[in-house]
Amino acid sequence: QVQLVQSGAEVKKPGASVKVSCKTSGFTFNIYGISWVRQAPGQGLEWMGWVSAYNGDTKYAQNLQGRVTMTTDTSTSTAYMELRSLSSDDTAVYYCARSKSVAAAKGTFDYWGQGTLVTVSS
Amino acid sequence: DIQMTQSPSSLSAYVGDRVTITCRASQSFSSYLNWYQQKPGQAPKLLIYAASSLQSGVPSRFSGSGSGTDFTLTISSLQPEDIATYFCQQSYSTPWTFGQGTKVEIK
């Protein structure tokens, strides 16, 4: 069965970086895309960006451009999201999610990781 | 960016009631609209994609409709396990954006 398993909770100081992993199984990783979505405490969902496991193409939300990098490792079927220059506004649960289709439905997310809480505090 | 506006923000209904949640987009995009259910402490779950297609494994009491700028999620007979927050999301153009959510409770 399709599974996305994320790395554990992180506590970071302002200005630091965090790298969250999303290990997948149960499907052919290198033909799909993975998006990252975050949710601040008590808030809604914010799409952060998308990475293609096929060719490494990326799309990032404009408000995160320059601070975020999304990558994949096809040898381990794992996706990564690195966020730099953290502030308290980045405190959130971060989710990875698989695109439903390799073609048209890139922006539809059919399987999600369990979430990783990133807390930014001095 | 396409703005997604859901209404109501919250609702309370009886078990067995028909529940309707609406989602309005700031621009038209045919049927690139998805609905997700999120229970407390859990990741979102895809319910409806392409406005009206039921995701595999989702109960048939959930249905979606609409096109253009106005979309609807309907729960035909509310069950206790449907207590959750529901989000619409457009997959037409990046940034893919979500509505602010509708919290559904039982009376």
Side-chain angles (χ1 to χ4, degrees):
Chain A
Q1 72 281 23
V2 173
Q3 287 191 307
L4 289 76
V5 179
Q6 298 183 222
S7 49
E10 304 262 14
V11 179
K12 296 293 183 181
K13 293 195 182 301
S17 300
V18 68
K19 191 170 186 177
V20 180
S21 66
C22 172
K23 184 166 178 58
T24 74
S25 59
F27 65 98
T28 305
F29 177 74
N30 60 7
I31 62 171
Y32 281 87
I34 298 289
S35 275
W36 291 86
V37 176
R38 68 180 179 178
Q39 186 170 37
Q43 301 301 309
L45 301 168
E46 178 189 11
W47 177 77
M48 301 176 65
W50 169 91
V51 58
S52 166
Y54 175 69
N55 60 10
D57 280 355
T58 54
K59 301 177 188 286
Y60 297 136
Q62 189 164 8
N63 65 321
L64 296 172
Q65 283 275 3
R67 282 208 302 137
V68 68
T69 302
M70 296 176 187
T71 57
T72 61
D73 181 346
T74 55
S75 69
T76 60
S77 300
T78 302
Y80 297 92
M81 185 283 299
E82 181 179 33
L83 189 61
R84 299 176 291 278
S85 302
L86 293 168
S87 72
S88 57
D89 290 343
D90 296 313
T91 293
V93 175
Y94 288 75
Y95 295 101
C96 59
R98 190 188 80 162
S99 295
K100 180 172 173 63
S101 164
V102 298
K106 293 186 178 66
T108 300
F109 315 128
D110 61 349
Y111 289 93
W112 295 64
Q114 83 277 18
T116 296
L117 175 62
V118 175
T119 303
V120 183
S121 173
S122 54
Chain B
D1 298 2
I2 299 175
Q3 309 303 317
M4 307 300 296
T5 303
Q6 287 181 234
S7 61
S9 298
S10 64
L11 67 89
S12 183
Y14 292 102
V15 171
D17 279 355
R18 183 181 185 88
V19 169
T20 298
I21 299 168
T22 62
C23 179
R24 174 163 288 178
S26 62
Q27 69 183 73
S28 179
F29 50 70
S30 183
S31 60
Y32 290 87
L33 192 284
N34 309 306
W35 289 97
Y36 299 87
Q37 175 194 64
Q38 186 179 35
K39 297 181 178 180
Q42 296 185 17
K45 171 187 174 183
L46 178 65
L47 297 178
I48 301 288
Y49 63 96
S52 61
S53 296
L54 192 67
Q55 175 68 357
S56 176
V58 174
S60 58
R61 64 180 179 274
F62 291 94
S63 65
S65 63
S67 181
T69 60
D70 294 309
F71 301 88
T72 299
L73 173 70
T74 299
I75 308 173
S76 60
S77 176
L78 186 68
Q79 300 301 304
E81 59 267 31
D82 300 335
I83 299 315
T85 300
Y86 294 83
F87 295 92
C88 63
Q89 177 241 341
Q90 63 84 15
S91 53
Y92 177 70
S93 66
T94 57
W96 296 315
T97 46
F98 294 85
Q100 80 280 15
T102 295
K103 187 174 184 178
V104 174
E105 298 176 322
I106 296 283
K107 273 186 187 174

